Amino acid sequence: MSEAHTAGSEEPTELPRPATMRDIAQLLGVSIKTVSNVVNDRPNVGPATREKVQQAIRDLNYRPQVSAQQMRTGTSGLITLAIPSLAGSYFSELAQEFADEAQRRRRSIMLHSTAAGRDEEHSVLSGFTRVLGDGVVFNPLLIGEDVLAQLGHTIQPTVFIGEHLEETRLPQGSDYVRTDNEQAAHDATVHLLQAGRTRIAYLGALKVAEARQAHSTSMLRVMGYRRALAEHGGFEPIVQEVPGWTPEGGLEAVRRLCAKHPQVDGIVCGNDDIARGAIAGLHAMGARIPEDIAVIGHDNIHEAVLTTPPLTTIDPDRPRLAATVLDLLLERIGGYRGEPRVVTTPHRLVERGSVG
């Protein structure tokens, strides 16, 4: 008999069955209720028994099944975070803030990227064909504002973040937590004006249709920039488009900006990734920062302190945003059925060396 035939005749090995609460209860001679109380961190278990159950959980490698928990309690402990992409610095750091904040509340975040496009965003609003988790935190980007305004009611408890929403026409079952992007860009521009800059450009306008909606982040930040110039002497606006809100986009756009407007002495960037690219481009052209051109960003990403010089930026307070969102969402999950709420979280300007 050949070796190959021998190997082929072996019976397939069955994988071990995952441990259950019943297994732990039988091993220790306690009730399933006692094991459940320990698993769910309820207080009515003595210290010695709790330690025995916890040790058995470790020994048997017990893991609670989400589906079983949902059947038992009506909730899964999961919250879906639907964001446009994890490639950009801001969204990856925001996702971490939500994961940390959810963990403090004994919840888990399930990430869902809508980078595939508009249809993917529609799937979030329709419950992903099936409802996932107990609620959704959703940052729409491509869906038209009219679609959200006409939605009527969300499939499950939802808190919107980001822009592209008309605050007075939110669907029932949802809330909205926002930062004041217009005021933030206004504050950034005023900071440059107060630093003595008089030829200030905005680097970050986008051509795509979604970015030209009334409540898009891009439009709101351009509006804040223009308002600041108008309020402080009517300086001429210089708005430079970028191919994308990325370091590469900032690098490409700052070259075109300086070629067309060599007199520029200050730049308000749409976000910190654009600012990082702009700083690299300015260095390559021999410009001194901030002596020749001051640069300010938006988002206060971790890399902002690593540019040369470190980047002055707007901090949108991601921890506060995540905490506020989860406060509202957990109230919805817990049974709140009131009218949609809108909360604006604060921002602040972080001064570093790129303005001087």
Side-chain angles (χ1 to χ4, degrees), residues 2 23 30 43 47 49 59 90 103 143 153 158 180 206 222 226 228 232 263 298 301 304 308 325-326 331-332 354 356:
S2 69
D23 295 332
V30 299
T49 301
D59 292 343
Y90 173 75
Q103 189 173 38
I143 291 179
H153 202 294
T158 301
D180 194 337
L206 291 166
V222 171
R226 289 182 178 275
H232 290 77
Q263 75 277 27
H298 189 124
I301 63 174
T308 304
V325 167
L326 291 180
E331 287 180 12
R332 289 271 176 199
S354 67

Side-chain angles (χ1 to χ4, degrees), residues 160-163 167 176-182 220 321 325 342-346:
F160 293 102
I161 58 175
E163 304 300 336
E167 297 175 19
Y176 178 29
V177 179
R178 62 185 295 275
T179 60
D180 194 337
N181 278 295
E182 182 184 350
L220 290 170
L321 175 69
V325 167
V342 178
V343 179
T344 301
T345 55

Side-chain angles (χ1 to χ4, degrees), residues 18 24 64 100 112 114-116 129 152 164 184 204 208 226 233 240 265 291 294 311 329 334:
I24 296 171
D100 292 344
H112 182 81
T114 57
T129 306
H164 304 275
V208 295
R226 289 182 178 275
Q240 177 64 53
D265 61 2
E291 293 85 357
L311 180 63
L329 185 60

Side-chain angles (χ1 to χ4, degrees), residues 157-160 167-168 170-178 324-344:
T158 301
V159 176
F160 293 102
E167 297 175 19
T168 59
L170 294 173
Q172 292 295 315
S174 74
D175 298 301
Y176 178 29
V177 179
R178 62 185 295 275
T324 303
V325 167
L326 291 180
D327 282 344
L328 297 180
L329 185 60
L330 292 178
E331 287 180 12
R332 289 271 176 199
I333 292 170
Y336 177 75
R337 297 292 183 268
E339 290 295 309
R341 298 163 290 183
V342 178
V343 179
T344 301

Side-chain angles (χ1 to χ4, degrees), residues 37-38 41-54:
N37 286 339
V38 174
D41 199 25
R42 298 191 184 104
N44 50 335
V45 180
T49 301
R50 182 179 298 275
E51 176 56 34
K52 285 196 302 181
V53 172
Q54 289 172 339

Side-chain angles (χ1 to χ4, degrees), residues 271-292:
N271 71 357
D272 286 353
D273 281 337
I274 293 173
R276 290 166 58 206
I279 287 174
L282 292 170
H283 283 313
M285 289 182 284
R288 298 172 301 163
I289 305 169
E291 293 85 357
D292 299 328

Side-chain angles (χ1 to χ4, degrees), residues 206-227:
L206 291 166
K207 288 184 178 180
V208 295
E210 293 82 16
R212 297 186 179 277
Q213 296 185 94
H215 301 93
S216 75
T217 301
S218 177
M219 287 290 288
L220 290 170
R221 291 183 188 174
V222 171
M223 288 170 56
Y225 156 79
R226 289 182 178 275
R227 179 164 62 88

